[in-house]
């Protein structure tokens, strides 16, 4: 099919490349002409494993092009994916400004060209947004508004887009469903077909539930620390129950990223606007907000205060294999450490330059052992493999004191103790 993907950010670019790999003819559209120029020169603007190579190969095959307007190749599209950002607005609700600007463009370009097409919303949007879009496009009878939320994870985005766990399609007409059946013919995962509004809620509910699991484990980790129990073993014992499952039970310094923080508050706003208090979700956010403070408290107690103490922070991005630092929990931790007078050094394989703009007081080094040199404590904030697999002898030799805080429960606790480190994990010791 001919597909136009509007918005070439994380979701858009991975969607475009994956659909091209599935054999569709795709044009990626972005209003940012500089970005389009880069993309045309085969340069991928985001760091995502495998994406640039895959993008180049589908471009070479002629299945993927880029443009800055809907008035070119996109005019032929059978499906128009809307993949623009829906950032958090001042009150926490999703800002739909970019989305409605695209809808206006779609209306202007396709109203005079009445061929059956799907206008597919992949951006994460509050329940009812698809209905509003359908109203706005009401007189363009051949434009079918469809909700098809995206569940890809940064760091494995292309694989997730190529082999999704499920495809959720929310639509209001048989014609719309048949367009999507044709588009996803080559995919083998389960498909959930429902109304637009239900599909929209599935997306928010999924992210909110995953965030809930994490905050639940993080709160339990606080208790586990006091009880002297091991949260990792608790998680394993829980996860073997097929009703619970093993995923997303990892305690740590909290969740970050572009989705969980933004989508949980947006869902709270949806609840509020509809007169329903989502109290569990409020607590999920509260636990996540206070988890970095709780971690800093552990470090403070272990070091007998933070003033003048040297703390090395390993890993800055919100999770490994991404350059994304949005809502990364390393940031409030660094802020608090600096606030209390600690001397902070930091290392990350990709994100140091971005973080340096926020925290120029921190010293950054390309070498982990240089970051650890003279440190009174090291904190693992993001479980990059470079930060997890250390030469422990060397680490101990360069640090001023052998004190480790494992904010991701990823260091080998027994091994490091054998090397003489004092080890403290999240909910385990
Ligand atoms: C998430 C959803 O997983 C994805 O389906 C959705 O489309 C977008 O939001 P992403 O933000 O890329 O994806 O990352 P994810 O792997 O889900 O991790 C989010 C955060 O939770 C990270 O900061 C991670 O460190 C943290 N996390 C995850 C935990 O603290 N514990 C866990 O058990 C799992």
């Amino acid at each position: 099919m001919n597909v136009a993907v509007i918005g070439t950010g994380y979701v858009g670019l991975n969607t475009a490349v994956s659909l091209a790999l599935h054999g569709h003819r795709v044009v990626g559209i972005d209003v940012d002409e500089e970005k389009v120029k880069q993309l045309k020169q085969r340069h991928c603007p985001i760091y995502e494993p495998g994406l640039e190579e895959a993008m180049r190969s589908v471009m070479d095959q002629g299945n993927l092009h880029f443009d800055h307007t809907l008035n070119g190749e996109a005019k032929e599209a059978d499906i128009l994916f809307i993949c623009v950002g829906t950032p958090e607005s001042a009150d926490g609700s999703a800002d739909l400004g970019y989305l409605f600007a695209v809808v206006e463009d779609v209306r202007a370009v396709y109203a005079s060209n009445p061929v059956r097409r799907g206008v597919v919303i992949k951006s994460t949007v509050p329940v009812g947004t698809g209905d509003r879009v359908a109203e706005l496009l009401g007189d363009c009878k051949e434009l079918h508004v469809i909700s098809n939320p995206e569940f890809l994870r940064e760091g494995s985005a292309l694989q997730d887009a190529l082999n999704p766990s499920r495809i959720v399609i929310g639509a209001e007409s048989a014609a719309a469903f048949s367009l999507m059946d044709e588009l996803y013919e080559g995919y083998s995962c389960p498909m959930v077909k429902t109304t637009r509004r239900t599909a929209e809620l599935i997306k928010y509910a999924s992210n909110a539930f995953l965030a809930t699991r994490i905050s639940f484990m993080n709160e339990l980790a606080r208790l586990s620390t006091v009880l002297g129990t091991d949260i990792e073993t608790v998680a394993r014992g829980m996860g073997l129950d097929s009703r619970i499952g093993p995923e997303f039970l990892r305690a740590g310094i909290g969740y970050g990223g572009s989705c969980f923080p933004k989508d949980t508050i947006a869902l709270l706003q949806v609840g509020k606007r509809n007169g329903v208090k989502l109290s569990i979700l409020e607590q999920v956010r509260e636990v996540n907000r206070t988890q970095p403070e709780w971690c800093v408290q552990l470090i403070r107690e272990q070091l007998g205060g933070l003033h003048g103490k040297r703390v090395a922070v390993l890993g800055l991005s919100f999770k490994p294999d991404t350059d994304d630092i949005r809502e990364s929990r390393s940031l409030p931790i660094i802020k608090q450490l600096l606030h209390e007078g600690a001397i902070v050094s930091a290392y990350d394989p990709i994100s140091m330059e971005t973080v340096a703009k926020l925290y120029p007081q921190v010293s950054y080094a390309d070498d982990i052992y240089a970051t650890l040199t003279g440190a009174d404590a090291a904190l693992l904030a993001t479980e990059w493999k470079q930060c997890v697999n250390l030469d422990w002898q060397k680490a101990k030799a360069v640090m001023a004191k052998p004190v480790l805080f494992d904010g991701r429960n990823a260091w080998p606790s027994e091994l490091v103790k054998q090397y003489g480190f004092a080890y403290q994990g999240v909910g385990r010791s």
Side-chain angles (χ1 to χ4, degrees), residues 150-155 203 207 210 214 218 247-252 254-260 318-320 383 408:
E150 183 51 63
F151 301 100
L152 57 79
R153 295 161 297 177
E154 293 188 22
K203 169 69 192 197
N207 275 356
L210 291 171
I214 297 169
N218 283 342
E247 302 286 332
F248 277 73
L249 295 178
R250 273 183 292 117
Y255 59 78
S258 63
C259 293
F260 290 169
F318 85 95
K319 68 176 197 179
E383 66 277 32
R408 293 296 177 183

PDB file of all heavy atoms in Angstrom, residues 150-155 203 207 210 214 218 247-252 254-260 318-320 383 408, ligand 1:
ATOM      1  N   GLU A 150       0.524   2.856  19.430  1.00  0.00           N
ATOM      2  CA  GLU A 150       1.852   2.250  19.281  1.00  0.00           C
ATOM      3  C   GLU A 150       2.372   1.845  20.648  1.00  0.00           C
ATOM      4  O   GLU A 150       2.237   2.589  21.601  1.00  0.00           O
ATOM      5  CB  GLU A 150       2.777   3.301  18.648  1.00  0.00           C
ATOM      6  CG  GLU A 150       4.161   2.800  18.369  1.00  0.00           C
ATOM      7  CD  GLU A 150       4.152   1.514  17.590  1.00  0.00           C
ATOM      8  OE1 GLU A 150       3.663   1.513  16.454  1.00  0.00           O
ATOM      9  OE2 GLU A 150       4.630   0.488  18.130  1.00  0.00           O
ATOM     10  N   PHE A 151       2.981   0.649  20.712  1.00  0.00           N
ATOM     11  CA  PHE A 151       3.478   0.170  22.011  1.00  0.00           C
ATOM     12  C   PHE A 151       4.990  -0.022  22.016  1.00  0.00           C
ATOM     13  O   PHE A 151       5.530  -0.694  22.878  1.00  0.00           O
ATOM     14  CB  PHE A 151       2.789  -1.158  22.373  1.00  0.00           C
ATOM     15  CG  PHE A 151       1.290  -1.033  22.465  1.00  0.00           C
ATOM     16  CD1 PHE A 151       0.478  -1.428  21.415  1.00  0.00           C
ATOM     17  CD2 PHE A 151       0.690  -0.489  23.590  1.00  0.00           C
ATOM     18  CE1 PHE A 151      -0.907  -1.299  21.489  1.00  0.00           C
ATOM     19  CE2 PHE A 151      -0.688  -0.360  23.680  1.00  0.00           C
ATOM     20  CZ  PHE A 151      -1.497  -0.764  22.615  1.00  0.00           C
ATOM     21  N   LEU A 152       5.691   0.571  21.023  1.00  0.00           N
ATOM     22  CA  LEU A 152       7.130   0.292  20.940  1.00  0.00           C
ATOM     23  C   LEU A 152       7.914   0.919  22.092  1.00  0.00           C
ATOM     24  O   LEU A 152       7.530   1.930  22.662  1.00  0.00           O
ATOM     25  CB  LEU A 152       7.704   0.718  19.588  1.00  0.00           C
ATOM     26  CG  LEU A 152       7.568   2.149  19.092  1.00  0.00           C
ATOM     27  CD1 LEU A 152       8.580   3.055  19.737  1.00  0.00           C
ATOM     28  CD2 LEU A 152       7.747   2.156  17.580  1.00  0.00           C
ATOM     29  N   ARG A 153       9.012   0.245  22.420  1.00  0.00           N
ATOM     30  CA  ARG A 153       9.895   0.709  23.507  1.00  0.00           C
ATOM     31  C   ARG A 153      11.172   1.263  22.907  1.00  0.00           C
ATOM     32  O   ARG A 153      11.701   0.689  21.945  1.00  0.00           O
ATOM     33  CB  ARG A 153      10.297  -0.463  24.415  1.00  0.00           C
ATOM     34  CG  ARG A 153       9.172  -1.085  25.172  1.00  0.00           C
ATOM     35  CD  ARG A 153       9.559  -2.471  25.652  1.00  0.00           C
ATOM     36  NE  ARG A 153       9.827  -3.368  24.508  1.00  0.00           N
ATOM     37  CZ  ARG A 153      10.248  -4.614  24.607  1.00  0.00           C
ATOM     38  NH1 ARG A 153      10.490  -5.134  25.783  1.00  0.00           N
ATOM     39  NH2 ARG A 153      10.451  -5.365  23.542  1.00  0.00           N
ATOM     40  N   GLU A 154      11.668   2.329  23.466  1.00  0.00           N
ATOM     41  CA  GLU A 154      12.950   2.855  23.010  1.00  0.00           C
ATOM     42  C   GLU A 154      14.030   1.809  23.284  1.00  0.00           C
ATOM     43  O   GLU A 154      13.963   1.088  24.272  1.00  0.00           O
ATOM     44  CB  GLU A 154      13.285   4.162  23.734  1.00  0.00           C
ATOM     45  CG  GLU A 154      12.328   5.264  23.340  1.00  0.00           C
ATOM     46  CD  GLU A 154      12.731   6.629  23.883  1.00  0.00           C
ATOM     47  OE1 GLU A 154      13.901   6.849  24.208  1.00  0.00           O
ATOM     48  OE2 GLU A 154      11.827   7.478  23.972  1.00  0.00           O
ATOM     49  N   GLY A 155      14.989   1.757  22.404  1.00  0.00           N
ATOM     50  CA  GLY A 155      16.066   0.766  22.567  1.00  0.00           C
ATOM     51  C   GLY A 155      15.774  -0.518  21.819  1.00  0.00           C
ATOM     52  O   GLY A 155      16.686  -1.228  21.410  1.00  0.00           O
ATOM     53  N   LYS A 203      -4.236   2.134  25.120  1.00  0.00           N
ATOM     54  CA  LYS A 203      -2.869   2.661  25.149  1.00  0.00           C
ATOM     55  C   LYS A 203      -2.525   3.260  26.518  1.00  0.00           C
ATOM     56  O   LYS A 203      -1.512   2.926  27.138  1.00  0.00           O
ATOM     57  CB  LYS A 203      -2.703   3.699  24.039  1.00  0.00           C
ATOM     58  CG  LYS A 203      -1.439   4.510  24.107  1.00  0.00           C
ATOM     59  CD  LYS A 203      -0.204   3.673  23.808  1.00  0.00           C
ATOM     60  CE  LYS A 203       1.044   4.455  24.173  1.00  0.00           C
ATOM     61  NZ  LYS A 203       2.242   3.974  23.602  1.00  0.00           N
ATOM     62  N   ASN A 207       0.231   1.651  29.484  1.00  0.00           N
ATOM     63  CA  ASN A 207       1.372   2.363  30.071  1.00  0.00           C
ATOM     64  C   ASN A 207       1.172   2.613  31.560  1.00  0.00           C
ATOM     65  O   ASN A 207       2.105   2.488  32.348  1.00  0.00           O
ATOM     66  CB  ASN A 207       1.616   3.681  29.332  1.00  0.00           C
ATOM     67  CG  ASN A 207       2.482   3.467  28.095  1.00  0.00           C
ATOM     68  OD1 ASN A 207       2.950   2.359  27.844  1.00  0.00           O
ATOM     69  ND2 ASN A 207       2.694   4.513  27.326  1.00  0.00           N
ATOM     70  N   LEU A 210       1.837  -0.644  33.480  1.00  0.00           N
ATOM     71  CA  LEU A 210       3.273  -0.960  33.585  1.00  0.00           C
ATOM     72  C   LEU A 210       3.941  -0.047  34.613  1.00  0.00           C
ATOM     73  O   LEU A 210       4.752  -0.493  35.432  1.00  0.00           O
ATOM     74  CB  LEU A 210       3.954  -0.819  32.220  1.00  0.00           C
ATOM     75  CG  LEU A 210       3.537  -1.875  31.176  1.00  0.00           C
ATOM     76  CD1 LEU A 210       4.100  -1.527  29.806  1.00  0.00           C
ATOM     77  CD2 LEU A 210       4.007  -3.269  31.606  1.00  0.00           C
ATOM     78  N   ILE A 214       5.850  -1.011  38.344  1.00  0.00           N
ATOM     79  CA  ILE A 214       7.177  -0.538  38.760  1.00  0.00           C
ATOM     80  C   ILE A 214       7.084   0.177  40.107  1.00  0.00           C
ATOM     81  O   ILE A 214       7.851  -0.100  41.030  1.00  0.00           O
ATOM     82  CB  ILE A 214       7.790   0.393  37.687  1.00  0.00           C
ATOM     83  CG1 ILE A 214       7.996  -0.373  36.376  1.00  0.00           C
ATOM     84  CG2 ILE A 214       9.114   0.974  38.170  1.00  0.00           C
ATOM     85  CD1 ILE A 214       8.348   0.518  35.191  1.00  0.00           C
ATOM     86  N   ASN A 218       8.793  -0.665  43.649  1.00  0.00           N
ATOM     87  CA  ASN A 218       9.699   0.305  44.279  1.00  0.00           C
ATOM     88  C   ASN A 218       9.281   0.602  45.716  1.00  0.00           C
ATOM     89  O   ASN A 218      10.110   0.748  46.603  1.00  0.00           O
ATOM     90  CB  ASN A 218       9.762   1.590  43.449  1.00  0.00           C
ATOM     91  CG  ASN A 218      10.641   1.401  42.227  1.00  0.00           C
ATOM     92  OD1 ASN A 218      11.438   0.468  42.165  1.00  0.00           O
ATOM     93  ND2 ASN A 218      10.497   2.270  41.243  1.00  0.00           N
ATOM     94  N   GLU A 247       7.677  -9.815  33.920  1.00  0.00           N
ATOM     95  CA  GLU A 247       8.128  -8.526  33.361  1.00  0.00           C
ATOM     96  C   GLU A 247       7.731  -7.334  34.235  1.00  0.00           C
ATOM     97  O   GLU A 247       6.710  -7.341  34.899  1.00  0.00           O
ATOM     98  CB  GLU A 247       7.500  -8.306  31.976  1.00  0.00           C
ATOM     99  CG  GLU A 247       7.806  -9.385  30.962  1.00  0.00           C
ATOM    100  CD  GLU A 247       9.218  -9.309  30.443  1.00  0.00           C
ATOM    101  OE1 GLU A 247       9.789  -8.207  30.426  1.00  0.00           O
ATOM    102  OE2 GLU A 247       9.748 -10.368  30.058  1.00  0.00           O
ATOM    103  N   PHE A 248       8.558  -6.293  34.152  1.00  0.00           N
ATOM    104  CA  PHE A 248       8.253  -5.016  34.811  1.00  0.00           C
ATOM    105  C   PHE A 248       8.047  -5.128  36.313  1.00  0.00           C
ATOM    106  O   PHE A 248       7.187  -4.484  36.902  1.00  0.00           O
ATOM    107  CB  PHE A 248       7.061  -4.327  34.118  1.00  0.00           C
ATOM    108  CG  PHE A 248       7.534  -3.564  32.909  1.00  0.00           C
ATOM    109  CD1 PHE A 248       7.918  -4.241  31.766  1.00  0.00           C
ATOM    110  CD2 PHE A 248       7.655  -2.188  32.941  1.00  0.00           C
ATOM    111  CE1 PHE A 248       8.430  -3.568  30.671  1.00  0.00           C
ATOM    112  CE2 PHE A 248       8.165  -1.495  31.850  1.00  0.00           C
ATOM    113  CZ  PHE A 248       8.550  -2.185  30.711  1.00  0.00           C
ATOM    114  N   LEU A 249       8.870  -5.975  36.923  1.00  0.00           N
ATOM    115  CA  LEU A 249       8.864  -6.078  38.385  1.00  0.00           C
ATOM    116  C   LEU A 249      10.214  -5.660  38.942  1.00  0.00           C
ATOM    117  O   LEU A 249      10.538  -5.952  40.085  1.00  0.00           O
ATOM    118  CB  LEU A 249       8.562  -7.527  38.812  1.00  0.00           C
ATOM    119  CG  LEU A 249       7.184  -8.087  38.469  1.00  0.00           C
ATOM    120  CD1 LEU A 249       7.070  -9.538  38.922  1.00  0.00           C
ATOM    121  CD2 LEU A 249       6.071  -7.261  39.124  1.00  0.00           C
ATOM    122  N   ARG A 250      11.019  -4.990  38.113  1.00  0.00           N
ATOM    123  CA  ARG A 250      12.362  -4.617  38.560  1.00  0.00           C
ATOM    124  C   ARG A 250      12.321  -3.329  39.385  1.00  0.00           C
ATOM    125  O   ARG A 250      11.950  -2.263  38.876  1.00  0.00           O
ATOM    126  CB  ARG A 250      13.286  -4.423  37.360  1.00  0.00           C
ATOM    127  CG  ARG A 250      13.944  -5.726  36.894  1.00  0.00           C
ATOM    128  CD  ARG A 250      14.896  -5.484  35.747  1.00  0.00           C
ATOM    129  NE  ARG A 250      14.194  -5.078  34.545  1.00  0.00           N
ATOM    130  CZ  ARG A 250      14.339  -3.917  33.938  1.00  0.00           C
ATOM    131  NH1 ARG A 250      15.172  -3.008  34.410  1.00  0.00           N
ATOM    132  NH2 ARG A 250      13.654  -3.635  32.855  1.00  0.00           N
ATOM    133  N   ALA A 251      12.699  -3.464  40.652  1.00  0.00           N
ATOM    134  CA  ALA A 251      12.794  -2.265  41.496  1.00  0.00           C
ATOM    135  C   ALA A 251      14.011  -1.458  41.066  1.00  0.00           C
ATOM    136  O   ALA A 251      14.959  -1.991  40.495  1.00  0.00           O
ATOM    137  CB  ALA A 251      12.913  -2.680  42.952  1.00  0.00           C
ATOM    138  N   GLY A 252      13.982  -0.165  41.311  1.00  0.00           N
ATOM    139  CA  GLY A 252      15.109   0.685  40.929  1.00  0.00           C
ATOM    140  C   GLY A 252      14.887   2.106  41.392  1.00  0.00           C
ATOM    141  O   GLY A 252      14.120   2.359  42.333  1.00  0.00           O
ATOM    142  N   GLY A 254      13.343   4.272  39.777  1.00  0.00           N
ATOM    143  CA  GLY A 254      12.082   4.789  39.237  1.00  0.00           C
ATOM    144  C   GLY A 254      12.059   4.750  37.718  1.00  0.00           C
ATOM    145  O   GLY A 254      13.077   4.480  37.081  1.00  0.00           O
ATOM    146  N   TYR A 255      10.882   5.004  37.165  1.00  0.00           N
ATOM    147  CA  TYR A 255      10.750   4.992  35.698  1.00  0.00           C
ATOM    148  C   TYR A 255      10.923   6.400  35.146  1.00  0.00           C
ATOM    149  O   TYR A 255      10.574   7.394  35.790  1.00  0.00           O
ATOM    150  CB  TYR A 255       9.404   4.401  35.254  1.00  0.00           C
ATOM    151  CG  TYR A 255       8.180   5.126  35.778  1.00  0.00           C
ATOM    152  CD1 TYR A 255       7.753   6.327  35.209  1.00  0.00           C
ATOM    153  CD2 TYR A 255       7.446   4.626  36.840  1.00  0.00           C
ATOM    154  CE1 TYR A 255       6.640   7.001  35.689  1.00  0.00           C
ATOM    155  CE2 TYR A 255       6.331   5.292  37.327  1.00  0.00           C
ATOM    156  CZ  TYR A 255       5.935   6.474  36.744  1.00  0.00           C
ATOM    157  OH  TYR A 255       4.845   7.148  37.214  1.00  0.00           O
ATOM    158  N   GLY A 256      11.481   6.475  33.942  1.00  0.00           N
ATOM    159  CA  GLY A 256      11.587   7.764  33.244  1.00  0.00           C
ATOM    160  C   GLY A 256      11.119   7.589  31.821  1.00  0.00           C
ATOM    161  O   GLY A 256      10.330   6.696  31.520  1.00  0.00           O
ATOM    162  N   GLY A 257      11.600   8.460  30.940  1.00  0.00           N
ATOM    163  CA  GLY A 257      11.274   8.313  29.522  1.00  0.00           C
ATOM    164  C   GLY A 257      10.177   9.237  29.071  1.00  0.00           C
ATOM    165  O   GLY A 257       9.622  10.025  29.851  1.00  0.00           O
ATOM    166  N   SER A 258       9.849   9.126  27.805  1.00  0.00           N
ATOM    167  CA  SER A 258       8.903  10.066  27.216  1.00  0.00           C
ATOM    168  C   SER A 258       7.464   9.629  27.430  1.00  0.00           C
ATOM    169  O   SER A 258       6.543  10.389  27.179  1.00  0.00           O
ATOM    170  CB  SER A 258       9.170  10.181  25.717  1.00  0.00           C
ATOM    171  OG  SER A 258       8.943   8.929  25.114  1.00  0.00           O
ATOM    172  N   CYS A 259       7.247   8.384  27.867  1.00  0.00           N
ATOM    173  CA  CYS A 259       5.861   7.890  27.898  1.00  0.00           C
ATOM    174  C   CYS A 259       5.249   7.762  29.287  1.00  0.00           C
ATOM    175  O   CYS A 259       4.206   8.355  29.558  1.00  0.00           O
ATOM    176  CB  CYS A 259       5.777   6.552  27.179  1.00  0.00           C
ATOM    177  SG  CYS A 259       6.091   6.721  25.429  1.00  0.00           S
ATOM    178  N   PHE A 260       5.872   6.963  30.161  1.00  0.00           N
ATOM    179  CA  PHE A 260       5.202   6.680  31.443  1.00  0.00           C
ATOM    180  C   PHE A 260       4.879   7.962  32.229  1.00  0.00           C
ATOM    181  O   PHE A 260       3.743   8.139  32.683  1.00  0.00           O
ATOM    182  CB  PHE A 260       6.036   5.730  32.301  1.00  0.00           C
ATOM    183  CG  PHE A 260       6.110   4.316  31.782  1.00  0.00           C
ATOM    184  CD1 PHE A 260       6.991   3.410  32.320  1.00  0.00           C
ATOM    185  CD2 PHE A 260       5.282   3.883  30.761  1.00  0.00           C
ATOM    186  CE1 PHE A 260       7.069   2.110  31.855  1.00  0.00           C
ATOM    187  CE2 PHE A 260       5.336   2.593  30.273  1.00  0.00           C
ATOM    188  CZ  PHE A 260       6.242   1.696  30.828  1.00  0.00           C
ATOM    189  N   PHE A 318      17.499   7.561  30.370  1.00  0.00           N
ATOM    190  CA  PHE A 318      16.426   7.012  31.231  1.00  0.00           C
ATOM    191  C   PHE A 318      16.411   5.497  31.251  1.00  0.00           C
ATOM    192  O   PHE A 318      15.832   4.884  32.140  1.00  0.00           O
ATOM    193  CB  PHE A 318      15.058   7.582  30.849  1.00  0.00           C
ATOM    194  CG  PHE A 318      14.361   6.872  29.724  1.00  0.00           C
ATOM    195  CD1 PHE A 318      13.423   5.875  29.974  1.00  0.00           C
ATOM    196  CD2 PHE A 318      14.623   7.206  28.401  1.00  0.00           C
ATOM    197  CE1 PHE A 318      12.766   5.221  28.946  1.00  0.00           C
ATOM    198  CE2 PHE A 318      13.978   6.551  27.358  1.00  0.00           C
ATOM    199  CZ  PHE A 318      13.061   5.552  27.626  1.00  0.00           C
ATOM    200  N   LYS A 319      17.077   4.903  30.271  1.00  0.00           N
ATOM    201  CA  LYS A 319      17.306   3.454  30.271  1.00  0.00           C
ATOM    202  C   LYS A 319      18.455   3.183  29.298  1.00  0.00           C
ATOM    203  O   LYS A 319      18.857   4.096  28.561  1.00  0.00           O
ATOM    204  CB  LYS A 319      16.040   2.692  29.893  1.00  0.00           C
ATOM    205  CG  LYS A 319      15.590   2.863  28.463  1.00  0.00           C
ATOM    206  CD  LYS A 319      14.377   1.976  28.228  1.00  0.00           C
ATOM    207  CE  LYS A 319      14.116   1.774  26.764  1.00  0.00           C
ATOM    208  NZ  LYS A 319      12.985   0.912  26.506  1.00  0.00           N
ATOM    209  N   PRO A 320      18.998   1.962  29.281  1.00  0.00           N
ATOM    210  CA  PRO A 320      20.139   1.720  28.397  1.00  0.00           C
ATOM    211  C   PRO A 320      19.740   1.737  26.915  1.00  0.00           C
ATOM    212  O   PRO A 320      18.553   1.637  26.576  1.00  0.00           O
ATOM    213  CB  PRO A 320      20.596   0.303  28.776  1.00  0.00           C
ATOM    214  CG  PRO A 320      19.897  -0.035  30.031  1.00  0.00           C
ATOM    215  CD  PRO A 320      18.665   0.782  30.106  1.00  0.00           C
ATOM    216  N   GLU A 383      21.410   0.961  33.662  1.00  0.00           N
ATOM    217  CA  GLU A 383      22.146  -0.304  33.545  1.00  0.00           C
ATOM    218  C   GLU A 383      22.705  -0.554  32.142  1.00  0.00           C
ATOM    219  O   GLU A 383      22.493  -1.598  31.545  1.00  0.00           O
ATOM    220  CB  GLU A 383      21.268  -1.470  34.038  1.00  0.00           C
ATOM    221  CG  GLU A 383      20.019  -1.780  33.225  1.00  0.00           C
ATOM    222  CD  GLU A 383      18.801  -0.918  33.530  1.00  0.00           C
ATOM    223  OE1 GLU A 383      18.957   0.263  33.893  1.00  0.00           O
ATOM    224  OE2 GLU A 383      17.679  -1.430  33.364  1.00  0.00           O
ATOM    225  N   ARG A 408      19.905   0.064  40.043  1.00  0.00           N
ATOM    226  CA  ARG A 408      19.154  -0.774  39.099  1.00  0.00           C
ATOM    227  C   ARG A 408      19.242  -2.262  39.432  1.00  0.00           C
ATOM    228  O   ARG A 408      18.819  -3.095  38.620  1.00  0.00           O
ATOM    229  CB  ARG A 408      19.660  -0.534  37.663  1.00  0.00           C
ATOM    230  CG  ARG A 408      19.365   0.867  37.135  1.00  0.00           C
ATOM    231  CD  ARG A 408      17.868   1.120  37.022  1.00  0.00           C
ATOM    232  NE  ARG A 408      17.573   2.465  36.580  1.00  0.00           N
ATOM    233  CZ  ARG A 408      16.338   2.930  36.459  1.00  0.00           C
ATOM    234  NH1 ARG A 408      15.292   2.184  36.770  1.00  0.00           N
ATOM    235  NH2 ARG A 408      16.140   4.153  36.069  1.00  0.00           N
TER     236      ARG A 408
HETATM  237  C1  LIG B   1       7.302   2.458  27.374  1.00  0.00           C
HETATM  238  C2  LIG B   1       6.428   1.234  27.098  1.00  0.00           C
HETATM  239  O1  LIG B   1       7.137   0.052  27.518  1.00  0.00           O
HETATM  240  C3  LIG B   1       6.062   1.157  25.622  1.00  0.00           C
HETATM  241  O2  LIG B   1       5.175   0.061  25.410  1.00  0.00           O
HETATM  242  C4  LIG B   1       5.375   2.473  25.221  1.00  0.00           C
HETATM  243  O3  LIG B   1       5.063   2.452  23.847  1.00  0.00           O
HETATM  244  C5  LIG B   1       6.278   3.658  25.537  1.00  0.00           C
HETATM  245  O4  LIG B   1       6.631   3.636  26.921  1.00  0.00           O
HETATM  246  P1  LIG B   1       9.866   3.086  27.011  1.00  0.00           P
HETATM  247  O5  LIG B   1       9.525   4.373  27.692  1.00  0.00           O
HETATM  248  O6  LIG B   1      10.674   3.103  25.770  1.00  0.00           O
HETATM  249  O7  LIG B   1       8.527   2.277  26.665  1.00  0.00           O
HETATM  250  O8  LIG B   1      10.711   2.221  28.052  1.00  0.00           O
HETATM  251  P2  LIG B   1      10.485   0.979  29.025  1.00  0.00           P
HETATM  252  O9  LIG B   1      11.411  -0.103  28.650  1.00  0.00           O
HETATM  253  O10 LIG B   1       9.071   0.609  29.153  1.00  0.00           O
HETATM  254  O11 LIG B   1      11.017   1.602  30.395  1.00  0.00           O
HETATM  255  C6  LIG B   1      10.435   2.759  30.967  1.00  0.00           C
HETATM  256  C7  LIG B   1      11.103   3.075  32.284  1.00  0.00           C
HETATM  257  O12 LIG B   1      10.742   2.129  33.284  1.00  0.00           O
HETATM  258  C8  LIG B   1      12.636   3.075  32.254  1.00  0.00           C
HETATM  259  O13 LIG B   1      13.112   4.185  32.987  1.00  0.00           O
HETATM  260  C9  LIG B   1      13.014   1.779  32.939  1.00  0.00           C
HETATM  261  O14 LIG B   1      14.280   1.841  33.559  1.00  0.00           O
HETATM  262  C10 LIG B   1      11.893   1.639  33.959  1.00  0.00           C
HETATM  263  N1  LIG B   1      11.632   0.243  34.375  1.00  0.00           N
HETATM  264  C11 LIG B   1      11.169  -0.663  33.484  1.00  0.00           C
HETATM  265  C12 LIG B   1      11.813  -0.111  35.706  1.00  0.00           C
HETATM  266  O15 LIG B   1      12.212   0.706  36.545  1.00  0.00           O
HETATM  267  N2  LIG B   1      11.510  -1.395  36.080  1.00  0.00           N
HETATM  268  C13 LIG B   1      11.059  -2.332  35.221  1.00  0.00           C
HETATM  269  O16 LIG B   1      10.802  -3.466  35.652  1.00  0.00           O
HETATM  270  C14 LIG B   1      10.882  -1.956  33.872  1.00  0.00           C
END
